[in-house]
Amino acid sequence: MSVIKEFKEFISKGNVLDLAIGVVIGGAFGKIVTSMVENLIMPVIGFILGGVNFSEFKYILKEGTQTKNASGALESVGEVAIKYGSAIQSIIDFLIIAFFIFLFVKAINKFKKPETIVEEMAAPSNEEIILKEIRDLLKNK
């Protein structure tokens, strides 16, 4: 079997197509939620906390500087900082995305028909039958 034919069969399987569609929709959904968090939720939280902007929270390891080079032009060296405010915002993004996906899956599961599970009773083995008879005999004494 040629590699191209195998690849064609692999791509045409339903699971791969479902995964691809899920990734595309998930990416678009992530952008929507990120925009919602950055532009709607975080400003409200910042306002409630007294005008705090989480994206500006950082721990500066080294200040940025400006120096003149040999030709007299100013050169800027950027600061080195740990931007933990952005991390907080990303965590909030994740929690909101996870919560909405949970609600979406929960809604989808309500529309599914419950699968009936039929458990077949296996016939008791000879050992079980003998043990039950012994038990019953002991009860009668």
Side-chain angles (χ1 to χ4, degrees):
M1 183 179 275
S2 71
V3 174
I4 295 173
K5 188 174 180 182
E6 286 182 55
F7 182 70
K8 184 178 177 182
E9 287 178 15
F10 172 76
I11 290 298
S12 64
K13 288 184 181 177
N15 292 342
V16 175
L17 295 175
D18 292 343
L19 177 63
I21 292 168
V23 167
V24 170
I25 290 174
F29 186 70
K31 287 181 182 180
I32 291 169
V33 172
T34 299
S35 175
M36 186 177 75
V37 169
E38 288 177 356
N39 300 318
L40 298 174
I41 295 173
M42 294 308 287
V44 171
I45 292 173
F47 177 75
I48 291 170
L49 296 176
V52 176
N53 184 355
F54 282 97
S55 63
E56 294 176 0
F57 286 2
K58 59 187 170 185
Y59 180 75
I60 299 173
L61 300 172
K62 181 182 176 190
E63 292 285 338
T65 58
Q66 284 189 341
T67 57
K68 289 186 178 182
N69 62 10
S71 64
L74 285 176
E75 288 184 344
S76 296
V77 177
E79 70 181 8
V80 178
I82 298 172
K83 299 179 180 180
Y84 63 90
S86 295
I88 291 171
Q89 191 160 343
S90 294
I91 290 169
I92 292 172
D93 282 352
F94 170 76
L95 293 174
I96 291 172
I97 290 171
F99 180 71
F100 279 107
I101 289 173
F102 167 75
L103 291 178
F104 182 73
V105 169
K106 191 173 179 177
I108 293 291
N109 286 339
K110 281 188 177 182
F111 291 114
K112 285 185 178 180
K113 292 181 181 177
E115 295 179 16
T116 57
I117 300 173
V118 179
E119 294 183 23
E120 294 182 18
M121 296 288 292
S125 66
N126 289 335
E127 294 170 349
E128 290 177 0
I129 293 171
I130 293 171
L131 288 171
K132 286 181 182 180
E133 288 176 1
I134 293 171
R135 181 195 62 199
D136 292 342
L137 288 172
L138 289 173
K139 281 183 181 178
N140 292 337
K141 286 189 173 186

